[in-house]
Amino acid sequence: VAQVHTCGYPIASGSVEDHLVSLQALLLHAKEDLGAYIANVHGGVDWWSKDEAVDFFKAAVALDAGIPVAHETHRMRALSTPMMTQRVLRSAPGVRLTADLSHWVVGAERTFDFPSDAGWWPALLDDVAAATTLTHARVGAPREIQVADPAAPEHAALLEAYEAWWSVLWAAQAAREGVVRIEAEFGPAPYMPALPYTEAPVADLERVVDFITRRQHGRLVADGVCQA
């Protein structure tokens, strides 16, 4: 999986055209030079209007990348919020997503379980499921992008919320594509919480990734989505 950041980081331009030129060049590099089988794209900027975002994604879908392209639901980028993502999906058919729902949880400061969320979140999740081709299986909390250890009992309810969402995404993807693509994308600091002064990680990152990988594989096997 090749990671693509249109207009770099820090983001050098807010122009839709600049982001499209950058995307085309980076996708060619990913395919020809890196041999990537899929590109995960951080595209656009979070302050675009709906029209600008839709223009970008319509043009992005039309590019001949030669490999599957998945646009991540990532903070600071064009798909940084659930509602903008839904508007794009409904206006630019063919957009495929990398669903990293932790970005939305920390941005919204909730797991979309308020009474006021009941009228829109399930339908939006269905829209996301219909477009997801890669999932970043990271657990974030309302006030932190990544919990230190998702196996800890204090995070049980949070993990169950993510797993319920992931089940919707993976069932749809398996039915549509015959495959489910998952990355246990827990990262080191600054994603992994660290102790002050020493900056020592508060959990064993390798063990955390192994826990998520094994647990989600077990769930997929139990659901009949994949073999043991």
Side-chain angles (χ1 to χ4, degrees), residues 115-179:
S116 56
D117 295 322
W120 66 272
W121 174 250
L124 186 142
L125 188 63
D126 286 341
D127 286 347
V128 171
T132 294
T133 196
L134 176 64
T135 300
H136 283 172
R138 177 170 55 226
V139 178
R143 289 171 183 80
E144 56 184 336
I145 187 59
Q146 175 180 301
V147 299
D149 187 349
E154 60 267 28
H155 297 314
L158 190 62
L159 177 58
E160 288 176 5
Y162 275 88
E163 288 179 336
W165 299 336
W166 295 339
S167 290
V168 174
L169 304 186
W170 299 343
Q173 187 183 4
R176 184 180 64 251
E177 300 183 19
V179 66

Side-chain angles (χ1 to χ4, degrees), residues 33-191:
D33 300 329
L34 303 180
Y37 73 92
I38 186 172
N40 179 58
V41 178
H42 291 192
V45 293
D46 57 7
W47 49 262
W48 274 348
S49 68
K50 175 194 171 184
D51 288 344
E52 288 172 311
V54 169
D55 286 347
F56 171 78
F57 285 104
K58 281 184 174 179
V61 169
L63 292 176
D64 183 13
I67 55 175
V69 177
H71 297 272
E72 185 172 346
T73 58
H74 200 285
R75 290 169 299 162
M76 94 174 87
R77 293 296 187 162
L79 302 180
S80 61
T81 68
M83 298 313 296
M84 180 61 84
T85 301
Q86 187 177 53
R87 293 182 186 115
V88 166
L89 292 177
R90 293 185 175 185
S91 301
V95 172
R96 291 292 172 259
L97 299 179
T98 295
D100 188 337
L101 303 180
S102 65
H103 289 282
W104 289 352
V105 168
V106 73
E109 291 196 355
R110 64 190 191 280
T111 53
F112 308 107
D113 56 353
F114 286 7
S116 56
D117 295 322
W120 66 272
W121 174 250
L124 186 142
L125 188 63
D126 286 341
D127 286 347
V128 171
T132 294
T133 196
L134 176 64
T135 300
H136 283 172
R138 177 170 55 226
V139 178
R143 289 171 183 80
E144 56 184 336
I145 187 59
Q146 175 180 301
V147 299
D149 187 349
E154 60 267 28
H155 297 314
L158 190 62
L159 177 58
E160 288 176 5
Y162 275 88
E163 288 179 336
W165 299 336
W166 295 339
S167 290
V168 174
L169 304 186
W170 299 343
Q173 187 183 4
R176 184 180 64 251
E177 300 183 19
V179 66
V180 175
R181 300 183 186 92
I182 305 164
E183 290 183 321
E185 203 207 32
F186 280 74
Y191 279 88

